[in-house]
Amino acid sequence: MRNEKENTKSKKAPQNDDDTIKEIQPKKHKKKRHILIYLAIIGFTFYAVITIIIQTVEIGDKKAELEELQQQINVVEIQTQYLEKVQNYEGDDLSEYIEKIAEDDLGYVSDGERIFINVAGD
């Protein structure tokens, strides 16, 4: 009888269901999760690198466009300065300017001038 009492004492009744039932998860799911995480990280890295490269190219294009626009601004500023200077011409300066424009831009000739045309194309 004593052995029976000892056996019953050594066999404790489970205190709750968690002690008696253990959940076993297959390792394959953990590996699949790790693989998915690695693929997600690789995909994000690939996306980030491609995005950085595209933005670098766009920045280079915009810098070239900015440089071209700055050159155009410089040309317009020079033209503006020239026109402001011409606007203040009076008397002989004005008549010389008008003659120059007539000869250079409009193709007029002064009295007594001859125009020679090179037909050889040289």
Coordinates of all heavy atoms in Angstrom, one line a residue, residues 53-104:
I53 N 19.8 55.0 -58.7 CA 20.4 55.2 -60.0 C 19.5 56.1 -60.9 O 20.0 57.0 -61.6 CB 20.6 53.8 -60.7 CG1 21.7 53.1 -59.9 CG2 21.0 54.0 -62.2 CD1 21.9 51.6 -60.3
I54 N 18.2 55.9 -61.0 CA 17.3 56.7 -61.8 C 17.4 58.1 -61.3 O 17.4 59.0 -62.2 CB 15.9 56.1 -61.7 CG1 15.9 54.7 -62.5 CG2 14.9 57.1 -62.3 CD1 14.6 54.0 -62.4
Q55 N 17.3 58.3 -60.0 CA 17.3 59.7 -59.5 C 18.7 60.4 -59.8 O 18.7 61.6 -60.1 CB 17.1 59.7 -58.0 CG 15.6 59.4 -57.7 CD 15.3 59.4 -56.2 OE1 16.2 59.5 -55.4 NE2 14.0 59.3 -55.9
T56 N 19.8 59.7 -59.8 CA 21.1 60.2 -60.1 C 21.1 60.7 -61.6 O 21.6 61.8 -61.9 CB 22.2 59.2 -59.8 OG1 22.1 58.8 -58.5 CG2 23.6 59.8 -60.1
V57 N 20.6 59.9 -62.5 CA 20.5 60.2 -63.9 C 19.6 61.4 -64.1 O 20.0 62.4 -64.8 CB 20.0 59.0 -64.7 CG1 19.7 59.4 -66.1 CG2 21.0 57.9 -64.7
E58 N 18.5 61.5 -63.4 CA 17.6 62.6 -63.5 C 18.3 63.9 -63.0 O 18.1 65.0 -63.6 CB 16.3 62.4 -62.8 CG 15.4 61.4 -63.5 CD 14.1 61.1 -62.7 OE1 13.9 61.7 -61.6 OE2 13.3 60.3 -63.2
I59 N 19.0 63.8 -61.9 CA 19.7 65.0 -61.4 C 20.8 65.5 -62.4 O 20.9 66.7 -62.6 CB 20.4 64.6 -60.0 CG1 19.3 64.5 -58.9 CG2 21.4 65.7 -59.6 CD1 19.9 63.9 -57.6
G60 N 21.5 64.6 -63.0 CA 22.4 65.0 -64.1 C 21.8 65.7 -65.2 O 22.3 66.7 -65.7
D61 N 20.6 65.2 -65.7 CA 19.8 65.8 -66.7 C 19.4 67.2 -66.3 O 19.5 68.1 -67.1 CB 18.6 65.0 -67.1 CG 19.0 63.6 -67.8 OD1 20.2 63.5 -68.2 OD2 18.1 62.8 -67.9
K62 N 18.9 67.3 -65.1 CA 18.4 68.6 -64.6 C 19.6 69.6 -64.5 O 19.4 70.8 -64.8 CB 17.7 68.5 -63.3 CG 16.4 67.7 -63.4 CD 15.4 68.3 -64.3 CE 14.1 67.5 -64.4 NZ 13.2 68.1 -65.3
K63 N 20.8 69.1 -64.1 CA 21.9 70.0 -64.0 C 22.3 70.5 -65.4 O 22.6 71.7 -65.5 CB 23.1 69.3 -63.3 CG 23.0 69.2 -61.8 CD 24.2 68.5 -61.2 CE 24.1 68.4 -59.7 NZ 25.3 67.8 -59.1
A64 N 22.3 69.7 -66.4 CA 22.6 70.1 -67.7 C 21.6 71.1 -68.2 O 21.9 72.1 -68.9 CB 22.7 68.9 -68.7
E65 N 20.3 70.8 -67.9 CA 19.3 71.8 -68.4 C 19.4 73.1 -67.7 O 19.3 74.2 -68.3 CB 17.9 71.1 -68.0 CG 16.7 72.0 -68.5 CD 15.4 71.3 -68.1 OE1 15.4 70.1 -67.8 OE2 14.4 72.0 -68.1
L66 N 19.8 73.1 -66.4 CA 20.0 74.3 -65.6 C 21.2 75.1 -66.2 O 21.1 76.3 -66.4 CB 20.3 74.0 -64.2 CG 20.6 75.2 -63.3 CD1 19.5 76.1 -63.2 CD2 21.1 74.7 -61.9
E67 N 22.2 74.4 -66.6 CA 23.4 75.1 -67.2 C 23.0 75.7 -68.5 O 23.4 76.9 -68.8 CB 24.5 74.1 -67.4 CG 25.8 74.7 -67.8 CD 26.9 73.6 -67.9 OE1 27.1 72.9 -66.9 OE2 27.6 73.6 -68.9
E68 N 22.2 75.0 -69.3 CA 21.8 75.6 -70.6 C 20.9 76.8 -70.4 O 21.1 77.8 -71.1 CB 21.0 74.5 -71.4 CG 20.5 75.0 -72.8 CD 19.8 73.9 -73.5 OE1 20.1 72.7 -73.3 OE2 18.9 74.2 -74.3
L69 N 20.0 76.8 -69.4 CA 19.2 77.9 -69.1 C 20.0 79.1 -68.6 O 19.7 80.3 -68.9 CB 18.1 77.5 -68.1 CG 17.0 76.6 -68.6 CD1 16.1 76.1 -67.5 CD2 16.2 77.3 -69.7
Q70 N 21.0 78.8 -67.8 CA 21.9 79.9 -67.3 C 22.6 80.6 -68.5 O 22.8 81.8 -68.5 CB 22.9 79.4 -66.3 CG 22.2 79.1 -65.0 CD 23.1 78.5 -64.0 OE1 24.2 77.9 -64.3 NE2 22.8 78.6 -62.7
Q71 N 23.0 79.8 -69.5 CA 23.7 80.4 -70.7 C 22.7 81.2 -71.4 O 23.0 82.3 -71.9 CB 24.2 79.3 -71.6 CG 25.5 78.6 -71.0 CD 25.9 77.4 -71.9 OE1 25.3 77.1 -72.8 NE2 27.1 76.9 -71.5
Q72 N 21.5 80.8 -71.6 CA 20.4 81.6 -72.3 C 20.2 82.9 -71.5 O 20.0 83.9 -72.1 CB 19.2 80.8 -72.4 CG 19.2 79.6 -73.4 CD 18.0 78.8 -73.5 OE1 17.0 79.1 -72.7 NE2 18.0 77.8 -74.3
I73 N 20.2 82.8 -70.2 CA 20.0 84.0 -69.4 C 21.1 85.0 -69.6 O 20.9 86.2 -69.8 CB 19.9 83.7 -67.9 CG1 18.5 83.0 -67.6 CG2 20.0 84.9 -67.0 CD1 18.4 82.4 -66.2
N74 N 22.4 84.5 -69.7 CA 23.5 85.4 -69.9 C 23.4 86.0 -71.3 O 23.7 87.2 -71.4 CB 24.8 84.6 -69.8 CG 25.2 84.1 -68.4 OD1 24.7 84.8 -67.5 ND2 26.0 83.1 -68.3
V75 N 22.9 85.3 -72.3 CA 22.8 85.9 -73.6 C 21.7 87.0 -73.6 O 21.9 88.1 -74.2 CB 22.4 84.8 -74.7 CG1 21.9 85.4 -76.0 CG2 23.6 83.8 -74.9
V76 N 20.6 86.7 -73.0 CA 19.5 87.7 -72.9 C 20.0 88.9 -72.1 O 19.7 90.1 -72.5 CB 18.3 87.1 -72.3 CG1 17.2 88.1 -71.9 CG2 17.7 86.0 -73.2
E77 N 20.8 88.7 -71.1 CA 21.3 89.9 -70.3 C 22.2 90.7 -71.2 O 22.2 92.0 -71.1 CB 22.0 89.4 -69.0 CG 21.1 88.9 -67.9 CD 21.9 88.4 -66.7 OE1 23.1 88.2 -66.8 OE2 21.2 88.1 -65.7
I78 N 23.1 90.1 -72.0 CA 24.0 90.8 -72.9 C 23.2 91.6 -73.9 O 23.4 92.8 -74.2 CB 25.0 89.9 -73.5 CG1 26.0 89.4 -72.5 CG2 25.7 90.6 -74.7 CD1 26.9 88.2 -72.9
Q79 N 22.1 91.0 -74.5 CA 21.3 91.6 -75.4 C 20.6 92.8 -74.8 O 20.4 93.9 -75.4 CB 20.3 90.7 -76.0 CG 20.9 89.6 -77.0 CD 19.8 88.6 -77.4 OE1 18.8 88.5 -76.8 NE2 20.2 87.9 -78.5
T80 N 20.1 92.7 -73.6 CA 19.4 93.7 -72.9 C 20.4 94.9 -72.6 O 20.0 96.1 -72.8 CB 18.9 93.2 -71.5 OG1 18.0 92.1 -71.8 CG2 18.1 94.3 -70.8
Q81 N 21.6 94.6 -72.2 CA 22.6 95.7 -72.0 C 22.8 96.4 -73.4 O 22.9 97.7 -73.4 CB 23.9 95.1 -71.5 CG 23.8 94.7 -70.1 CD 25.1 94.0 -69.6 OE1 26.0 93.7 -70.4 NE2 25.1 93.6 -68.3
Y82 N 23.0 95.7 -74.5 CA 23.2 96.3 -75.8 C 22.0 97.2 -76.2 O 22.2 98.3 -76.6 CB 23.4 95.2 -76.8 CG 23.6 95.7 -78.2 CD1 24.7 96.4 -78.6 CD2 22.6 95.6 -79.1 CE1 24.9 96.9 -79.9 CE2 22.7 96.0 -80.4 CZ 23.8 96.7 -80.8 OH 24.0 97.1 -82.1
L83 N 20.8 96.7 -76.0 CA 19.6 97.5 -76.3 C 19.5 98.7 -75.5 O 19.0 99.8 -75.9 CB 18.3 96.6 -76.3 CG 18.2 95.5 -77.3 CD1 17.0 94.7 -77.0 CD2 18.2 96.1 -78.7
E84 N 19.8 98.6 -74.2 CA 19.8 99.8 -73.3 C 20.8 100.9 -73.8 O 20.5 102.1 -73.8 CB 20.1 99.4 -71.9 CG 18.9 98.7 -71.2 CD 19.3 98.2 -69.8 OE1 20.4 98.2 -69.4 OE2 18.3 97.7 -69.2
K85 N 22.0 100.4 -74.2 CA 23.0 101.3 -74.8 C 22.5 102.0 -76.1 O 22.6 103.2 -76.2 CB 24.3 100.5 -75.0 CG 25.4 101.3 -75.6 CD 26.6 100.4 -75.8 CE 27.7 101.2 -76.5 NZ 28.9 100.4 -76.9
V86 N 21.9 101.2 -77.0 CA 21.4 101.7 -78.2 C 20.3 102.7 -78.0 O 20.1 103.7 -78.7 CB 21.0 100.5 -79.1 CG1 20.2 101.0 -80.3 CG2 22.2 99.7 -79.6
Q87 N 19.5 102.4 -77.0 CA 18.3 103.3 -76.7 C 18.8 104.7 -76.4 O 18.0 105.7 -76.6 CB 17.5 102.7 -75.5 CG 16.2 103.4 -75.2 CD 15.5 102.7 -74.1 OE1 16.0 101.8 -73.4 NE2 14.3 103.2 -73.8
N88 N 20.0 104.9 -75.8 CA 20.5 106.2 -75.4 C 21.2 106.9 -76.6 O 21.8 108.0 -76.3 CB 21.4 106.1 -74.2 CG 20.6 105.6 -73.0 OD1 19.4 105.9 -72.8 ND2 21.3 104.8 -72.1
Y89 N 21.3 106.3 -77.8 CA 22.0 106.9 -78.9 C 21.2 108.2 -79.3 O 20.0 108.2 -79.3 CB 22.1 106.0 -80.1 CG 23.2 104.9 -80.0 CD1 23.2 103.9 -80.9 CD2 24.2 105.0 -79.0 CE1 24.2 102.9 -80.9 CE2 25.2 104.0 -79.0 CZ 25.2 103.0 -79.9 OH 26.1 102.0 -79.8
E90 N 22.0 109.2 -79.7 CA 21.5 110.4 -80.2 C 22.4 111.0 -81.3 O 23.6 110.7 -81.3 CB 21.3 111.5 -79.1 CG 20.3 111.1 -78.0 CD 20.3 112.2 -76.9 OE1 21.0 113.2 -77.0 OE2 19.5 112.0 -76.0
G91 N 21.8 111.7 -82.2 CA 22.6 112.4 -83.2 C 23.4 111.5 -84.1 O 22.8 110.6 -84.8
D92 N 24.7 111.7 -84.2 CA 25.5 110.9 -85.2 C 25.6 109.5 -84.8 O 25.6 108.6 -85.7 CB 27.0 111.5 -85.2 CG 27.0 112.9 -85.8 OD1 26.1 113.2 -86.7 OD2 28.0 113.6 -85.6
D93 N 25.6 109.2 -83.5 CA 25.6 107.7 -83.1 C 24.4 107.0 -83.6 O 24.5 105.9 -84.0 CB 25.7 107.6 -81.5 CG 27.1 108.1 -81.0 OD1 28.1 108.1 -81.7 OD2 27.1 108.5 -79.8
L94 N 23.3 107.7 -83.5 CA 22.0 107.1 -83.9 C 22.0 106.8 -85.4 O 21.6 105.8 -85.9 CB 20.8 107.9 -83.5 CG 19.4 107.4 -83.9 CD1 19.2 106.0 -83.2 CD2 18.4 108.4 -83.5
S95 N 22.5 107.8 -86.2 CA 22.5 107.7 -87.7 C 23.5 106.6 -88.1 O 23.2 105.8 -89.0 CB 22.8 109.0 -88.4 OG 24.1 109.4 -88.0
E96 N 24.6 106.5 -87.4 CA 25.6 105.4 -87.7 C 25.0 104.0 -87.4 O 25.2 103.1 -88.2 CB 26.9 105.6 -86.9 CG 27.8 106.7 -87.4 CD 29.0 106.9 -86.5 OE1 29.3 105.9 -85.8 OE2 29.6 108.0 -86.6
Y97 N 24.3 104.0 -86.3 CA 23.6 102.7 -85.9 C 22.6 102.3 -87.0 O 22.5 101.1 -87.4 CB 23.0 102.8 -84.5 CG 22.3 101.6 -84.1 CD1 22.9 100.4 -83.8 CD2 20.9 101.5 -84.1 CE1 22.2 99.3 -83.4 CE2 20.2 100.4 -83.7 CZ 20.9 99.3 -83.4 OH 20.2 98.1 -83.0
I98 N 21.8 103.3 -87.4 CA 20.8 103.0 -88.4 C 21.4 102.5 -89.7 O 20.9 101.5 -90.4 CB 19.9 104.2 -88.6 CG1 19.0 104.4 -87.4 CG2 19.0 104.0 -89.8 CD1 18.2 105.7 -87.4
E99 N 22.5 103.1 -90.2 CA 23.2 102.7 -91.4 C 23.7 101.3 -91.2 O 23.6 100.5 -92.2 CB 24.3 103.7 -91.7 CG 23.9 105.0 -92.3 CD 25.0 105.9 -92.6 OE1 26.1 105.4 -92.8 OE2 24.8 107.2 -92.6
K100 N 24.3 101.0 -90.1 CA 24.9 99.7 -89.8 C 23.8 98.6 -89.9 O 24.0 97.6 -90.6 CB 25.5 99.6 -88.5 CG 26.2 98.3 -88.2 CD 26.8 98.3 -86.8 CE 27.2 96.9 -86.5 NZ 27.2 96.6 -85.1
I101 N 22.7 98.8 -89.3 CA 21.5 97.9 -89.3 C 21.0 97.7 -90.8 O 20.8 96.6 -91.2 CB 20.4 98.4 -88.4 CG1 20.8 98.3 -87.0 CG2 19.1 97.5 -88.6 CD1 21.2 97.0 -86.4
A102 N 20.9 98.8 -91.5 CA 20.4 98.8 -92.9 C 21.4 98.0 -93.8 O 20.9 97.2 -94.6 CB 20.3 100.2 -93.4
E103 N 22.7 98.1 -93.6 CA 23.6 97.4 -94.4 C 23.7 95.9 -94.0 O 23.7 95.0 -94.8 CB 25.0 98.0 -94.3 CG 25.1 99.4 -95.0 CD 26.4 100.1 -94.8 OE1 27.3 99.5 -94.1 OE2 26.6 101.2 -95.4
D104 N 23.9 95.7 -92.7 CA 24.1 94.3 -92.2 C 22.9 93.4 -92.3 O 22.9 92.3 -92.8 CB 24.7 94.3 -90.8 CG 26.1 95.0 -90.7 OD1 26.7 95.1 -91.8 OD2 26.5 95.3 -89.6

